[in-house]
């Protein structure tokens, strides 16, 4: 009864309550206090979320229906020639992996749509899923417009000067832009190329401006020319003619190559040359 009477007195008096708190804190201070060992200093440097993310290489996997995931490269072990391999991504019926590349957790994934828009996605924002996982729909990570499909994906760590992005369409148009034009990420993406109705972007590559452009068509025709033949253009501009197509033909591949390299061409039925 005496304890109840005392507790009720404490609850009804803010002054008494605060005095008890002060007395208990003073007791803790006298028992445990020691000189401060740390210094609190003002830091005028810029804080970035990347400072909290461990930098490591990730295998980025994207399926044809638009599911994306990342898995640490260390999850895979090196195997010999006769090895069976292991599951890299679990897919549903009629789905398949369409993009696979390695990028740092601090890098951007540049996503280029068939309609000529570009989107940004930080690698650490991609769901970290094990080899058996399916990942997450890109539509939940990037605000792509209705009806757009992924045409190409590039890993970019820094938007350097004197670097370019070369884009190609199925009707043979080609466009070169400075990489620095993409250095300001926007949530809704930006126009990277003005694509005409009936045309579509099929490829995008990074270059240093000194390479050669190779274009291949469905009917087996190809062209190769110095990248310097194509001037750098602004974001909203259309492309220039990269190859003249015969009736019924269309571009199926474009790449930026080093002079003197070797090209491997593979047909849809498995023939290689």
């Amino acid at each position: 009864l005496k304890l109840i009477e005392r507790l009720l007195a404490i609850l009804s008096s803010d002054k008494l309550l605060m005095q008890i708190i002060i007395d208990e804190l003073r007791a803790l201070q006298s028992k445990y206090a020691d000189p401060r060992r740390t210094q609190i200093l003002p830091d005028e440097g810029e804080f970035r979320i990347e400072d909290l993310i461990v930098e490591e290489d990730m295998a980025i996997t994207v399926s044809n229906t638009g599911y994306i995931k990342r898995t640490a490269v260390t999850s895979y072990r090196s195997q010999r020639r006769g090895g069976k391999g292991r599951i890299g991504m679990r897919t549903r019926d009629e789905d398949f992996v369409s993009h696979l590349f390695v990028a740092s957790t601090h890098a951007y994934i540049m996503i280029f749509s068939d309609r000529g828009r570009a989107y940004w996605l930080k690698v650490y924002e991609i769901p970290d899923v094990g080899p058996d996982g399916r990942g997450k729909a890109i539509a939940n990570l990037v605000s792509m417009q209705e009806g757009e499909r992924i045409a190409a994906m590039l890993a970019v760590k820094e938007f350097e000067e004197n670097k370019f992005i070369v884009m190609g369409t199925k009707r043979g148009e080609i466009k070169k832009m400075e990489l620095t034009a993409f250095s300001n990420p926007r949530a809704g993406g930006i126009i990277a190329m003005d694509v005409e109705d009936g045309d579509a972007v099929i490829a995008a590559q990074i270059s240093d401006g000194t390479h050669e452009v190779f274009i291949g068509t469905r009917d087996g025709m190809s062209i190769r020319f110095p990248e310097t033949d194509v001037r750098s253009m602004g974001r909203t501009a259309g492309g220039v003619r990269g190859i003249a197509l015969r009736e019924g033909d269309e571009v199926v591949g474009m790449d930026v190559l080093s002079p003197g390299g070797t090209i491997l061409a593979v047909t849809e039925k498995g023939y290689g040359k």
Side-chain angles (χ1 to χ4, degrees), residues 50-253:
E50 286 88 343
D51 297 332
L52 304 177
I53 306 294
V54 177
E55 185 168 7
E56 59 179 325
D57 285 338
M58 291 284 175
I60 313 298
T61 314
V62 186
S63 78
N64 185 59
T65 55
Y67 281 81
I68 187 170
K69 71 166 189 171
R70 64 183 169 101
T71 306
V73 172
T74 52
S75 300
Y76 304 94
R77 62 179 177 84
S78 177
Q79 299 185 19
R80 295 184 177 180
R81 184 168 54 80
K84 183 181 179 181
R86 64 171 299 179
I87 292 175
M89 184 181 197
R90 187 75 65 181
T91 56
R92 291 183 176 178
D93 294 342
E94 298 183 0
D95 196 7
F96 55 89
V97 173
S98 57
H99 300 275
L100 172 62
F101 50 93
V102 175
S104 164
T105 48
H106 288 195
Y108 279 101
I109 301 299
M110 293 293 301
I111 302 173
F112 294 88
S113 78
D114 59 344
R115 302 310 308 151
R117 294 187 65 86
Y119 302 88
W120 292 263
L121 182 62
K122 272 289 191 179
V123 170
Y124 62 75
E125 295 175 340
I126 300 172
D128 187 355
V129 183
D132 288 343
R134 187 181 178 207
K136 192 172 184 179
I138 291 181
N140 295 329
L141 301 173
V142 178
S143 301
M144 297 183 70
Q145 297 185 355
E146 186 177 355
E148 281 188 308
R149 294 183 60 84
I150 297 173
M153 303 182 74
L154 300 174
V156 181
K157 190 169 184 180
E158 295 181 1
F159 296 90
E160 304 172 83
E161 299 281 350
N162 300 319
K163 286 290 184 72
F164 301 89
I165 288 182
V166 181
M167 304 173 64
T169 74
K170 69 177 184 180
R171 285 188 176 177
E173 299 286 318
I174 188 169
K175 181 180 179 181
K176 183 170 76 171
M177 301 174 53
E178 292 187 5
L179 183 58
T180 52
F182 298 89
S183 59
N184 295 317
R186 298 181 189 174
I190 62 172
I191 297 174
M193 183 177 183
D194 183 20
V195 180
E196 296 178 357
D197 292 340
D199 201 0
V201 174
I202 61 163
Q205 295 287 341
I206 295 178
S207 78
D208 61 4
T210 63
H211 286 63
E212 294 187 338
V213 177
F214 177 87
I215 299 174
T217 76
R218 185 174 58 191
D219 289 347
M221 305 301 291
S222 64
I223 193 172
R224 176 175 63 94
F225 53 87
E227 186 187 338
T228 51
D229 287 355
V230 183
R231 65 177 180 84
S232 179
M233 291 175 277
R235 286 195 298 104
T236 57
V240 297
R241 177 66 63 190
I243 185 173
L245 299 173
R246 296 173 180 172
E247 186 176 352
D249 199 5
E250 67 180 33
V251 175
V252 293

Side-chain angles (χ1 to χ4, degrees), residues 17-27:
L17 177 62
M18 294 304 299
Q19 188 59 49
I20 291 174
I21 292 174
I22 292 172
D23 292 341
E24 290 180 349
L25 289 175
R26 293 293 184 195

